[in-house]
Amino acid sequence: MTALPATTRTTAAARTEGLWLSIGLYTALALTLVAPIMVALLWSLVDPKGGWFAPAIVPNGLSLHHWRAVGLDRSLIQSIVTSVLISLAVTALSGMLALPTAYALAKVPFRAKRAIEMFILAPLIVPGLIVGIGIGTLFFRVGLAYSIPGVILAQTIGTLPFMIRVLAATMEAIPADLIHAARTLGASPFRAGMHIVVPLAWPGFVAGGMLTFVSSFEEFEKTFMVGAPTVETLTVKLWAVLGGKVMIFPNAAVVTFILLVPCVLIFFLAERAMRNDGALAAGMGKL
Amino acid sequence: MMSRYALWVLLAPGVGFLILLFGLPLGMALLTSIGLGTVGVNTGFTLDHYAELFSNSIYLDGLRYSLFLSVVPTLVSLTIAMPLAVALQSTFPGKKLFSTLYRVPLVVPGIVAAFIVMILFDRGGEISRILKPLGLGLPKMVRDEWSLGIIIAVAWKAVPFMMLIIGGSLASISTDLPAAARTLGANRATVFWRIELPLALPGITAAVLLVFVGFTGAFAVPLLLGPIYPKRLSVWMYEASYQENNRGLASAMGIVLSVIACAVLVIYYRVTSDLRNAAGGEVR
């Protein structure tokens, strides 16, 4: 009986501590994430008549002028379409290429597995710029330079290793008995794959696919190397706005949000699809 | 048991793609760097590009600066991410929401991070505007010689990433171990240093390594936020390749950067396997 008050006190202390921790973490989040995004939002809403010059802390007037201009800017709409199409294609291609390879890595024991795994990781380690330059030369020779298919292939180099690892991690959890049973009952390897492995690995496909889409959507370096100036995705567009002689902050802010909003939304959906960090950590964390 | 033939059919799509589009370009870059490239002037075997790289002081400065920009943001991010990852292991109100929100920077493109640093930290940026009435000012943080802007932009993206990976490692430690240690009289700091840190070390090294190499070849953020001089090797590489069309030199720089990245990876494997052996297989 004497232990009871002590326990209550510790719980109360723990609760107070948790509350302080919560306050601290959310304050940090507000300062480092919410505040910068709010400033970017203000920049996108600057009224061109009033402008926003130092030392004014807030713009002299707000308007949707720059957002409305987006609707009229055909090159920007073209960039959005290009970005979405490329990202969809990269996601589909990564999924299809990764499926059999991930299965082999997850379920088939073989000797060179460690070496193959390391090779698959290499594109995540070797700087994308080098691959970009090498692939630019290669594509130039086969006529893929400055083309959308070229950009799709170049981006897939970066997303495929991640997709293979996420899928392999999901497939490891599929009981081998199920596949054996299907095979014993006369299913061809292809049928067994399509009816057992693919449905059971589906959460991996969904999570890996969404993350692939996002990483393709925000990819800049390889896209720029292979596709610019002909293929203009949103990141290339933002680069052009920021890296040019005259920086137009309101325009950059608008492009920022067009880039950011789909990425963040899809990322949240992927998080829900994964339910836990397993796939993401498996894809990135364990080298 | 699966036949060898079937195994290779399974491996072919993924591995074949990477051989063709990753291995081949890398091999071509290697050949180009020693003068055997098929594009541009074919000079025959030469080590001139490497000689130029290692004798020209602007490239040596670039290499040193590249290493600085890989090491410092990594250390800064680790210092911030480590305590946060530990804090996230305890329960607090609103934990679930926080665990989702803190990851947002993971999907923010590097160029957007650079833009945010510009509007906040540049001269005349939001922070200096807020500080001015208080009589305070910011040091030069964009295009400055210490590259504070780049460090902030990289850390902003790297901290959540490290928290995710390190948090995953910490979460996989059985709660019995710290609880047992606490029962036996260890204080929190001891539990952290003697139990949690060693067991989470593989995750920590993985996070450090991925941040370190992940930024080695980036050139967009350094080009937007970095000083005029020195330039990162990756920026020189971009300029050598696209503005001067000197593919040989650009490839040599690329190979040097790749070798550095791979060396870091090998060291990582050594360190973690030593740890694994030392712990008698206890450490994953």
Side-chain angles (χ1 to χ4, degrees), chain B residues 7-8 27 38 49 52 58 60 64 75 81 90 99 125 174 199 211 220 237-238:
Chain B
L7 174 67
W8 286 112
T38 45
H49 300 305
E52 187 183 351
I58 65 165
L60 283 177
R64 240 172 267 134
L75 289 181
S90 52
S99 303
S174 150
L199 285 176
V211 170
M237 191 175 146
Y238 161 71

Side-chain angles (χ1 to χ4, degrees), chain A residues 17-18 21-22 26 32 52 56-57 101 114 129-130 135 137 157 218 221 225 239 268 271 280 284-286, chain B residues 10 14 21 39 90 92-94 98 103 107 109 126 129 156 164 188 206 210 219-220 234 242 247 254 269 284:
Chain A
E17 204 175 281
L21 185 60
S22 178
Y26 275 98
T32 57
W52 189 10
I57 290 174
T101 306
R114 196 87 189 102
L129 185 63
I130 297 133
I135 208 129
T137 320
I157 303 165
E218 59 151 27
E221 255 117 42
M225 291 280 146
W239 164 263
F268 284 157
E271 291 257 285
L280 195 61
M284 289 172 167
K286 293 177 201 157
Chain B
L10 284 177
L21 288 153
V39 169
S90 52
F92 57 89
F98 184 85
R103 294 175 192 184
V107 289
E126 191 64 12
R129 292 181 194 195
W156 190 71
L164 180 73
R188 248 184 216 187
L210 283 169
F219 71 95
S234 51
Y242 281 83
R247 298 250 161 179
Y269 268 106
R284 264 192 309 127

Side-chain angles (χ1 to χ4, degrees), chain B residues 2-20:
Chain B
M2 195 173 275
S3 72
R4 273 185 92 76
Y5 168 74
L7 174 67
W8 286 112
V9 167
L10 284 177
L11 286 177
V15 177
F17 181 90
L18 290 179
I19 289 175
L20 207 62

Side-chain angles (χ1 to χ4, degrees), chain B residues 23-77:
Chain B
L24 190 63
L26 207 58
M28 282 171 66
L30 183 63
L31 287 178
T32 309
S33 76
I34 52 171
L36 299 175
T38 45
V39 169
V41 201
N42 195 338
T43 51
F45 178 78
T46 171
L47 288 175
D48 285 356
H49 300 305
Y50 288 96
E52 187 183 351
L53 179 53
F54 285 110
S55 59
N56 193 330
S57 68
I58 65 165
Y59 298 134
L60 283 177
D61 280 350
L63 188 59
R64 240 172 267 134
Y65 181 60
S66 286
L67 289 176
F68 168 80
L69 268 193
S70 289
V71 172
V72 174
T74 309
L75 289 181
V76 169
S77 309

